[in-house]
Amino acid sequence: MIVKSAAFVTSAVKPPQYPEALHPEVAFAGRSNVGKSSLINTLVNRKRLVKTSSIPGRTQLINFFTVNDCISLVDLPGYGYAKVPASVTRNWGPMIETYLKGRETLKAVALILDVRRTPGVEEQNFIDWLELYHRTPILVLTKADKLSKSVQKKQRQAIGTTLGVDEAALILFSAKTRLGRPEVWSAIERAVFDEHREHD
């Protein structure tokens, strides 16, 4: 994907606030500290399109962006380590699930994982959600630059085993070195444009 334009569209909490469904969408989900914002910024070649914060959990809304006026990237609220009120945390699950379940233009969901961490129940539940709602998963392991190649390989195998997926489906990524950027875009394009061609 050659990114010619990228722009913020709107933030939303519930369906009436979603933007008009003009383009196929790919959503990004993950724990609050996995580098989700940095990943999206790297994909679109912008340093600050998606705001990054040193405090996990600052993203408490569903944020919509458009790329090349042909595809939408959707930043979902992080979960896990965020220090936010319990009432806010309780609302995140229903807010995300409502979007995942009902958004007709949603073609794939990138689940972002820290390559250095073993996935927990939340990640396994999220993958179950995606299967339940027939959403194509794109599994991305961030912060790969923090590990040697041999440790990257071991962690990738271990994460694949924990999640019950083929390790070949796990894309190693680094916002710092841009490792994995072409692979993530290829996965997005397959999910979005291959389906369009099937229906042509």
Side-chain angles (χ1 to χ4, degrees), residues 38-122:
S38 297
L39 183 149
I40 298 173
N41 285 333
T42 301
L43 288 178
V44 299
N45 293 322
R46 302 289 190 278
K47 289 186 177 179
R48 288 181 291 273
L49 179 69
V50 183
K51 293 178 181 177
T52 58
S53 173
S54 59
I55 303 174
R58 279 294 172 85
T59 304
Q60 298 173 15
L61 303 169
I62 300 174
N63 294 311
F64 294 80
F65 303 86
T66 183
V67 177
N68 291 355
D69 292 322
C70 70
I71 184 172
S72 292
L73 304 183
V74 183
D75 186 14
L76 299 176
Y79 56 87
Y81 308 122
K83 293 181 179 179
V84 296
S87 59
V88 174
T89 304
R90 280 196 300 272
N91 290 333
W92 282 356
M95 175 169 58
I96 295 172
E97 189 165 8
T98 297
Y99 170 78
L100 290 177
K101 184 166 56 176
R103 188 66 164 170
E104 292 182 2
T105 46
L106 178 62
K107 301 303 179 186
V109 180
L111 177 58
I112 316 305
L113 306 129
D114 187 328
V115 70
R116 302 168 299 172
R117 308 278 181 255
T118 301
V121 174
E122 292 95 340

Side-chain angles (χ1 to χ4, degrees), residues 12 35 69 85 135 161 171-172 179 200:
D69 292 322
R135 303 302 192 186
T161 299
I171 301 171
L172 288 167
L179 170 74
D200 285 346

